[in-house]
């Protein structure tokens, strides 16, 4: 539940395309974090523009949404 008004006129602010299948996203600290499951890559996107801020490629598959805890 939200105590703030939400406009009935929603619109897409930005969109981006990842190479393959994305996980669910996590939003924190002005960033959207999402993983690409097949390329083992974590993306940090600017929540205002969708621009890629940085990426990290893991040594193995990432198949769950990113987690943020205490700024990390």
């Amino acid at each position: 539940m939200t105590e703030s008004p939400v406009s009935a006129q929603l619109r897409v602010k930005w969109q981006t395309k990842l190479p393959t299948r994305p996980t669910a996203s996590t939003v924190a600290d002005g960033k959207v974090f999402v993983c690409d499951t097949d390329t083992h890559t974590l993306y940090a996107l600017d929540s205002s523009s969708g621009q890629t801020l940085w990426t990290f490629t893991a040594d193995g598959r990432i198949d769950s949404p990113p987690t943020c805890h205490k700024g990390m």
Side-chain angles (χ1 to χ4, degrees):
M1 183 168 100
T2 181
E3 304 232 354
S4 298
V6 176
S7 172
Q9 305 257 336
L10 301 178
R11 64 179 180 80
V12 175
K13 187 171 184 177
W14 56 263
Q15 60 186 0
T16 191
K17 184 156 178 66
L18 298 179
T20 64
R21 295 176 296 155
T23 62
S25 60
T26 301
V27 181
D29 197 28
K31 297 175 188 67
V32 176
F33 299 96
V34 64
C35 297
D36 186 310
T37 58
D38 294 331
T39 63
H40 314 166
T41 305
L42 167 63
Y43 291 84
L45 309 173
D46 181 85
S47 65
S48 296
S49 67
Q51 178 182 5
T52 300
L53 300 173
W54 54 262
T55 64
F56 170 77
T57 303
D59 288 334
R61 184 180 175 99
I62 307 171
D63 59 3
S64 57
T67 301
C68 292
H69 179 69
K70 295 186 179 182
M72 299 184 79

